[in-house]
Amino acid sequence: MMRFLKKNAKKTALAAMLVAGIPVAAQHEGLRLKAYLDPIGIPTICYGETEGVAVGDVKTKKECDDMLSVRLAYFGQVVDYYITEDMSPKTHAALSSFTYNVGPDAFSKSTLVKLYNQGKKIEACDQLLRWVNAGGKKLNGLVARRKVEHKLCLEGLNEPA
């Protein structure tokens, strides 16, 4: 797993971000204790984890919960690395949940990151609503997830960073 260092000295309230981000990711990923193939054929387990997963793998709920906390914190660091503007814990949670779902590479190259770093934060949050396809198909689960992430992202813009 790649390690990220923060580009600047900003401190994100990790605990607050996790409190907001874990329920979003957990609800929309769903918990599966036995590995399965996701809608585009990627072996997946727990709350949407794909790294190092093989069909047939089995985890306990505690292992999945622990994995989600660690992975969401990691993706929070990814967000901190690419976003240079200040953000509230809610906005950070929304972007971390999104990054958990799409991966660091897609996040880093996204228009969302460019807009946010230009100070166009509302427009950046609006970009979340565009990421609803997987394998070339619009998925209702992604539509629902992005609506929740979008709402959380916008709510965070009205709170102190």
Side-chain angles (χ1 to χ4, degrees), residues 10-29:
K10 71 181 176 179
K11 298 288 184 188
T12 302
L14 180 60
M17 183 278 295
L18 287 173
V19 166
I22 286 176
V24 173
Q27 174 189 358
H28 292 283
E29 291 289 351

Side-chain angles (χ1 to χ4, degrees), residues 31-86:
L31 174 61
R32 301 275 293 269
L33 300 178
K34 185 172 181 184
Y36 63 98
L37 295 178
D38 76 0
I40 59 172
I42 298 172
T44 306
I45 198 165
C46 295
Y47 298 104
E49 183 59 50
T50 59
E51 188 174 304
V53 178
V55 173
D57 288 353
V58 177
K59 300 277 186 195
T60 66
K61 182 174 183 323
K62 181 174 179 357
E63 288 173 320
C64 291
D65 290 347
D66 291 347
M67 184 184 299
L68 179 60
S69 294
V70 168
R71 295 291 283 160
L72 201 53
Y74 163 74
F75 286 109
Q77 289 178 333
V78 172
V79 169
D80 284 343
Y81 183 80
Y82 289 107
I83 297 291
T84 57
E85 293 284 308
D86 289 338

Side-chain angles (χ1 to χ4, degrees), residues 8 16 18 20 24 39-40 44 63 72-73 77 88 94 100 114 117 122 125 128-129 140-141 152:
N8 57 31
L18 287 173
V24 173
I40 59 172
T44 306
E63 288 173 320
L72 201 53
Q77 289 178 333
S88 72
Y100 178 83
K114 291 179 186 103
N117 288 337
I122 293 172
C125 290
L128 291 167
L129 299 173
N140 291 334
L152 191 61

Side-chain angles (χ1 to χ4, degrees), residues 83-135:
I83 297 291
T84 57
E85 293 284 308
D86 289 338
M87 67 191 123
S88 72
K90 281 186 179 180
T91 298
H92 194 275
L95 299 184
S96 297
S97 173
F98 172 70
T99 306
Y100 178 83
N101 183 243
V102 302
D105 192 49
F107 177 74
S108 70
K109 296 174 184 172
S110 70
T111 302
L112 184 157
V113 169
K114 291 179 186 103
L115 289 170
Y116 202 95
N117 288 337
Q118 292 171 358
K120 299 175 181 175
K121 296 177 181 181
I122 293 172
E123 293 91 337
C125 290
D126 289 347
Q127 287 290 309
L128 291 167
L129 299 173
R130 299 183 65 208
W131 291 75
V132 295
N133 296 317

